[in-house]
Amino acid sequence: MMNPTTQQKLMESRKAMFEEMEKHLQEGRTPEDSLFYYHPSKDRIVLSHALFWVMTRPLSGRIAKERYLLLLRQYQEEMLEAYLTESEYFDDLLHYCNIIYETLPYILQSAYDLTTDKNARKLAAITITAGGYGGDMPDEQADELLDDIDFHFNKVKCNKIERLMPVLNQLVEEEMRYIAGIS
């Protein structure tokens, strides 16, 4: 565990970096352009991040080692820990996760040809699926998945989301076909 002074300095540094990222991200966008604009609550945004975090775990190839993906996954895990422990840093961490997540489609489109690079297309499909599924699922299911997020050997664990992977993978495959232009 980090000492409070070191943690405070880290949070101040992060805040400055993310303010700059958000400024660039928001140029020419409206609030409706946000991937999370239609999510009914903050908890649903947390759920979308948890879905993404679990769904991207098995990614392989060059895309799995991309710095921005590793950074997003790290922040998501940290945010989920803060969510579970009701940390004072939760809101900031969720905001940072949102900024990275919202930047991801731009990075993918500029760095990869989604029609030919299957791993990049899969990451794009996971991004769309996790965001959409987390925001649109029935309230009971969302509450059940959120209540299941817990610690296992001091690590965040999402057992019910992991059990949903066959369904989620099928949705990702459908989205990948759509992105590739195959109906």
Side-chain angles (χ1 to χ4, degrees), residues 146-157:
L146 284 164
D147 289 344
D148 179 66
I149 299 171
D150 207 346
F151 289 107
H152 183 72
F153 296 114
N154 295 325
K155 291 285 196 184
V156 174
K157 188 75 172 161

Side-chain angles (χ1 to χ4, degrees), residues 114-127:
L114 297 180
T115 58
T116 60
D117 190 318
K118 187 175 180 180
N119 288 328
R121 188 169 53 249
K122 184 170 188 171
L123 180 55
I126 289 170
T127 304

Side-chain angles (χ1 to χ4, degrees), residues 38-178:
Y38 294 101
H39 280 55
S41 67
K42 188 186 294 186
D43 285 342
R44 290 299 194 94
I45 296 170
V46 169
L47 181 56
S48 286
H49 283 293
L51 288 162
F52 181 91
W53 183 69
V54 171
M55 293 168 72
T56 55
R57 193 176 304 144
L59 280 177
S60 61
R62 186 180 110 200
I63 198 93
K65 296 177 182 116
E66 289 287 357
R67 190 171 177 198
Y68 59 85
L69 176 60
L70 296 173
L71 182 67
L72 175 55
R73 288 184 44 75
Q74 175 188 333
Y75 272 90
Q76 286 173 326
E77 184 172 17
E78 206 173 317
M79 178 272 298
L80 291 169
E81 288 174 7
Y83 176 78
L84 291 171
T85 60
E86 299 178 5
S87 166
E88 65 183 287
Y89 297 113
F90 165 72
D91 286 327
D92 289 337
L93 290 167
L94 178 60
H95 185 70
Y96 301 157
C97 287
N98 291 347
I99 292 169
I100 299 171
Y101 197 93
E102 299 254 1
T103 304
L104 188 58
Y106 298 107
I107 292 170
L108 286 173
Q109 288 178 342
S110 67
Y112 296 94
D113 181 353
L114 297 180
T115 58
T116 60
D117 190 318
K118 187 175 180 180
N119 288 328
R121 188 169 53 249
K122 184 170 188 171
L123 180 55
I126 289 170
T127 304
I128 294 165
T129 302
Y133 196 73
D136 293 340
M137 74 175 62
D139 290 338
E140 280 184 34
Q141 183 183 19
D143 292 341
E144 184 179 329
L145 293 176
L146 284 164
D147 289 344
D148 179 66
I149 299 171
D150 207 346
F151 289 107
H152 183 72
F153 296 114
N154 295 325
K155 291 285 196 184
V156 174
K157 188 75 172 161
C158 308
N159 289 318
K160 289 187 178 182
I161 293 174
E162 290 173 10
R163 286 196 297 269
L164 258 181
M165 283 301 291
V167 171
L168 295 170
N169 285 335
Q170 187 175 22
L171 294 171
V172 168
E173 287 298 322
E174 290 172 18
E175 194 63 42
M176 286 176 68
R177 284 193 295 277
Y178 179 77

